[in-house]
Amino acid sequence: MATSKNEKSLIAQVDLGLADKFQAQLAERGQKQKLAMSAAIKLWIELPVEIQARLLDQSMDSSAFISLVREIVDQRIQEGRKAARALHGSHKKRQAQKD
């Protein structure tokens, strides 16, 4: 597989069952492994260290893992809503000052 100057090949040994499920899902959805791996790495580097540690522990079952992901998503949604409210409030203040 050809790579460009802006790309680096990463190799890792992962559990056979996990790798098979990953590749089957990619094939089923018509997705490219390169893009899925890039997305996973982007997600990983954005996670807080505490969450990374919990994931590296590998003691979580599937339901605990999904709960963790939901917790992260819910937290991000709340942060987004809070930021939106703050933006809306500052916009209202500027509008009131103009009037």
Side-chain angles (χ1 to χ4, degrees):
M1 177 184 284
T3 60
S4 74
K5 287 191 232 180
N6 297 330
E7 293 179 331
K8 183 174 188 173
S9 180
L10 299 175
I11 299 171
Q13 297 295 320
V14 297
D15 177 78
L16 184 60
L18 182 63
D20 288 344
K21 286 179 184 178
F22 176 67
Q23 290 175 327
Q25 188 181 77
L26 291 173
E28 179 183 305
R29 297 178 179 177
Q31 297 168 331
K32 296 188 185 293
Q33 182 171 320
K34 175 180 173 177
L35 297 176
M37 294 298 297
S38 290
I41 291 168
K42 286 178 188 176
L43 176 61
W44 176 261
I45 62 175
E46 293 297 325
L47 290 174
V49 161
E50 306 81 38
I51 302 299
Q52 290 177 350
R54 287 174 66 186
L55 292 170
L56 289 174
D57 180 9
Q58 294 190 7
S59 62
M60 286 188 276
D61 61 5
S62 292
S63 63
F65 179 77
I66 290 169
S67 292
L68 176 61
V69 171
R70 284 187 179 136
E71 179 183 321
I72 294 166
V73 170
D74 289 345
Q75 180 182 0
R76 294 293 172 113
I77 289 170
Q78 290 303 320
E79 290 170 1
R81 287 179 177 157
K82 185 177 178 181
R85 284 192 296 271
L87 280 173
H88 184 68
S90 65
H91 177 70
K92 283 176 119 177
K93 278 185 181 178
R94 280 189 295 225
Q95 288 294 6
Q97 289 172 351
K98 286 181 183 179
D99 294 339

